[in-house]
Amino acid sequence: IGSEGYIDHSASDIKSVMATGSWVTSSDRLRFNILSGNERTGISWWGVPQELLAVNRRNNPAGEYIDANGIYRYYNDETDNYSQNHYHLFYTHRFTPRLHLNTGLHLTGGTGYYEEQKSDRETVEYGLEPIMSGSDIITETDLVQRKWMDNKFYGAVWSLVQQGHNIEWTAGGGLNRYDGYHYGRIIWMEYPGIITPDYEWYRNRGLKDEINLYGKMSANITGSLTGFIDLQFRYIGYRLSGPDDDMRDLTQHHRYRFFNPKAGLFWSSGKGSDAFLSVSVVHREPARSNFKDAAGDASVMPKPERLTDLEGGYSFRLAKLNLNMNIYLMQYRDQLVPTGKISNTGYPVMTNVPQSYRAGIELSGSYRPSPVAAFKLNMTLSRNTINNFRNYYYDYSTSDWSVEYRWSELGNVDIAYSPRIIGSAEIEINPLRHLSLNLSGKYVGKQYFDNTKSAERTIDRYFVSNMSVNYKVYLMKKREIDLRLLVSNLFNTMYENNAYGGMWTEGGVEKTWAYFFPQAGIHYMLGASLAF
């Protein structure tokens, strides 16, 4: 896959390959997969400043610098480079027609770096003493750095499945380890002194071990009613060690033990009507980045999240009509969200909010009045709320520009990146036997990109349409060619689907900083596939 990219300097060059082989007998199946990929992409994760959207929505500041003559230039190798290989070995043995064992071994290895040009960086930021250049003492220098990641993920999974006439049960588990190194190297310095190329200024390691065991069972209670129960135990162990890129020590250890139960009922009339009801409790551990940002401040060390999920649904099917409705209530305890809070070491951290919830209804349906045409609709209406939210921010005095760290109570607010309305519609037409036309549209309602529910920090609602044309050509000896045309953003809508930012105050007056991710206007893709 190759692309010049919509955003400036965001070109991509991506390659991948997959090979698989299997050995099969009447009671055994052995399969081995190899997947390999390599990518080189331009760095474009900074977003476009809000004030530049109307001027140059493709703006990308990554790699921008001023040369010795005062001319703005771009560093050509400001790129993200990563390679990854996957190896899977799966074995299944069937003891009886109703009892079989599944096992699997997996190994994923990845390595890569992103390269950046930095201007006027203080040597102390890299753990370096001032550099002597002739008779001058250099404390700031331009440089080019690479931040590396070298990781492995490996483990084993298994499950034993017993299928009965009225009861089916499964017992299984897994044992996995993630072992990753993060380190940084300086490959060029304007004033190197005695520093040699590829000087390594930091290295840290993260280990994450997981053991999980589960058992689940479904049973036919009556002819139309089935019940199920799913019980899971998880153990997670985190170990971080070594300094981060700012020389801050990340060393810390965490252990978690989770019990995740789920139960429910499924009803089927046998005449096109189905319904279900389920309740579950799920726990999720903080991510490495949450621990990293909180390092050095025990008061903001993140806690695991707990989710209690209640769901119910109903579906109705006829020969030409299909309707579905799902209702859900997701109650969170200690959900991790950005609040603007700063650790005592000066870093923004994700923090736990005591209570929050997501509640909504999902509606979908399709109608095919004839073999020539079909219509599909989907819609989600939801409320996503943090209860009694406390927002942290900096307040600058306009008299002497001194700064004070403050907080305010905002009451109930919408969870960031959670639109209340999402919907889509699709029309499919088959005018000829081998020709298919498809027109689709997606609507995403207004959403906030922080948790303050401020109109100044929102992603506007948008509606985007796509059109596709598929034509199949049948050849001799069971060969066929599938020709495809995809027109994305058919009406050239200028929209942004993501953003990030925050707020501060100056003399009590609220200010906003915001960066957006504009999406491409109308664009096309042609494709062909050959099957034989």
Side-chain angles (χ1 to χ4, degrees):
I1 300 174
S3 172
E4 294 181 357
Y6 176 66
I7 298 297
D8 294 340
H9 315 292
S10 63
S12 60
D13 181 10
I14 304 171
K15 301 178 178 66
S16 64
V17 63
M18 175 182 175
T20 184
S22 61
W23 172 77
V24 181
T25 71
S26 59
S27 59
D28 298 279
R29 177 185 294 269
L30 185 68
R31 187 169 82 251
F32 183 61
N33 300 329
I34 299 177
L35 299 89
S36 181
N38 176 269
E39 61 92 5
R40 178 182 173 86
T41 60
I43 291 177
S44 56
W45 54 58
W46 298 114
V48 178
Q50 186 174 28
E51 59 271 18
L52 288 182
L53 280 176
V55 180
N56 178 16
R57 59 188 289 108
R58 299 190 180 193
N59 175 266
N60 182 10
E64 185 180 79
Y65 69 98
I66 303 175
D67 69 10
N69 298 316
I71 300 173
Y72 279 90
R73 298 186 182 278
Y74 280 89
Y75 180 66
N76 291 328
D77 288 325
E78 193 96 353
T79 55
D80 187 2
N81 307 265
Y82 192 71
S83 298
Q84 193 173 76
N85 298 307
H86 300 252
Y87 306 94
H88 304 151
L89 179 64
F90 298 110
Y91 173 67
T92 297
H93 176 71
R94 187 171 294 275
F95 298 100
T96 70
R98 295 184 178 275
L99 179 64
H100 61 274
L101 174 69
N102 304 305
T103 61
L105 299 173
H106 65 88
L107 168 63
T108 301
T111 183
Y113 64 89
Y114 62 92
E115 184 171 323
E116 296 176 297
Q117 188 274 343
K118 298 292 184 180
S119 298
D120 302 325
R121 301 307 292 264
E122 295 184 5
T123 56
V124 68
E125 296 180 47
Y126 295 83
L128 300 173
E129 298 293 334
I131 297 169
M132 296 299 300
S133 179
S135 59
D136 297 325
I137 299 177
I138 305 298
T139 58
E140 292 184 351
T141 181
D142 294 350
L143 55 85
V144 176
Q145 66 183 30
R146 286 180 176 176
K147 290 187 175 181
W148 284 83
M149 181 172 66
D150 185 358
N151 57 359
K152 292 181 177 63
F153 178 60
Y154 53 92
V157 294
W158 65 274
S159 65
L160 183 65
V161 182
Q162 170 71 58
Q163 297 172 316
H165 294 289
N166 296 313
I167 297 177
E168 177 179 324
W169 58 262
T170 302
L175 178 65
N176 302 296
R177 164 170 280 193
Y178 172 85
D179 186 356
Y181 286 92
H182 294 257
Y183 57 96
R185 289 176 175 172
I186 301 173
I187 65 172
W188 176 85
M189 293 181 70
E190 183 182 14
Y191 302 105
I194 61 172
I195 304 301
T196 58
D198 275 347
Y199 169 77
E200 185 173 294
W201 87 89
Y202 79 94
R203 176 181 287 261
N204 62 71
R205 185 185 188 187
L207 281 174
K208 180 182 179 181
D209 294 316
E210 178 184 354
I211 301 172
N212 70 80
L213 296 170
Y214 66 88
K216 53 185 178 180
M217 181 182 69
S218 63
N220 192 329
I221 301 173
T222 69
S224 58
L225 186 64
T226 300
F228 68 89
I229 186 169
D230 186 342
L231 306 176
Q232 183 198 51
F233 170 80
R234 290 182 68 215
Y235 165 83
I236 298 100
Y238 271 110
R239 282 179 285 169
L240 304 180
S241 60
D244 200 13
D245 58 353
D246 56 4
M247 312 310 297
R248 189 169 44 121
D249 185 24
L250 298 182
T251 301
Q252 52 190 289
H253 306 275
H254 306 277
R255 292 183 178 88
Y256 302 103
R257 295 172 180 86
F258 298 139
F259 175 61
N260 300 320
K262 182 177 182 179
L265 296 170
F266 177 79
W267 172 82
S268 177
S269 69
K271 298 179 181 180
S273 293
D274 299 324
F276 79 92
L277 180 67
S278 70
V279 60
S280 62
V281 177
V282 182
H283 299 80
R284 186 175 71 171
E285 68 277 10
R288 173 188 177 275
S289 59
N290 304 133
F291 292 127
K292 181 176 76 72
D293 295 337
D297 187 351
S299 67
V300 295
M301 195 59 66
K303 297 182 289 186
E305 301 172 325
R306 172 178 170 148
L307 166 65
T308 302
D309 181 27
L310 178 64
E311 296 190 32
Y314 176 77
S315 63
F316 176 73
R317 298 185 307 277
L318 293 175
K320 298 180 179 181
L321 181 66
N322 189 356
L323 299 174
N324 300 279
M325 178 182 69
N326 291 337
I327 300 175
Y328 63 89
L329 173 61
M330 306 167 69
Q331 291 276 7
Y332 292 89
R333 188 182 71 187
D334 293 327
Q335 184 181 14
L336 276 166
V337 301
T339 66
K341 195 166 187 179
I342 306 296
S343 71
N344 63 17
T345 51
Y347 292 86
V349 293
M350 297 273 284
T351 52
N352 302 98
V353 291
Q355 294 183 340
S356 56
Y357 71 89
R358 299 179 185 272
I361 181 170
E362 301 170 330
L363 304 170
S364 65
S366 63
Y367 177 59
R368 182 175 287 276
S370 73
V372 175
F375 306 91
K376 300 177 183 179
L377 291 170
N378 292 276
M379 178 178 288
T380 300
L381 306 174
S382 65
R383 292 294 300 268
N384 311 278
T385 302
I386 301 173
N387 298 328
N388 303 316
F389 179 71
R390 175 177 289 184
N391 182 54
Y392 295 83
Y393 62 94
Y394 284 117
D395 178 45
Y396 293 86
S397 169
T398 54
S399 59
D400 58 2
W401 295 109
S402 59
V403 62
E404 187 175 352
Y405 190 41
R406 296 178 177 270
W407 54 268
S408 60
E409 299 284 0
L410 299 184
N412 295 347
V413 297
D414 284 16
I415 300 174
Y417 306 106
S418 302
R420 295 189 177 189
I421 303 176
I422 300 174
S424 66
E426 181 180 329
I427 300 174
E428 179 186 327
I429 301 175
N430 303 282
L432 300 173
R433 179 186 175 190
H434 307 316
L435 178 64
S436 175
L437 308 175
N438 186 287
L439 179 64
S440 64
K442 179 180 180 180
Y443 174 84
V444 177
K446 181 182 74 173
Q447 55 188 302
Y448 302 97
F449 56 83
D450 74 354
N451 295 306
T452 61
K453 204 176 179 180
S454 168
E456 300 298 319
R457 292 178 288 280
T458 63
I459 303 170
D460 291 337
R461 59 183 181 270
Y462 59 88
F463 178 80
V464 182
S465 297
N466 303 313
M467 183 184 72
S468 64
V469 181
N470 286 264
Y471 185 74
K472 285 188 177 183
V473 180
Y474 292 95
L475 305 175
M476 298 175 61
K477 297 182 179 180
K478 297 184 179 181
R479 298 178 182 177
E480 65 180 53
I481 298 177
D482 190 1
L483 304 174
R484 302 181 304 277
L485 167 64
L486 174 64
V487 184
S488 299
N489 198 352
L490 183 62
F491 301 110
N492 200 36
T493 302
M494 297 291 102
Y495 71 102
E496 300 81 40
N497 71 344
N498 202 356
Y500 62 94
M503 55 82 66
W504 76 98
T505 60
E506 294 179 6
V509 179
E510 185 174 305
K511 304 289 184 178
T512 293
W513 64 275
Y515 288 78
F516 289 81
F517 293 94
Q519 300 303 297
I522 186 170
H523 54 288
Y524 316 86
M525 183 175 71
L526 287 169
S529 61
L530 173 65
F532 56 90

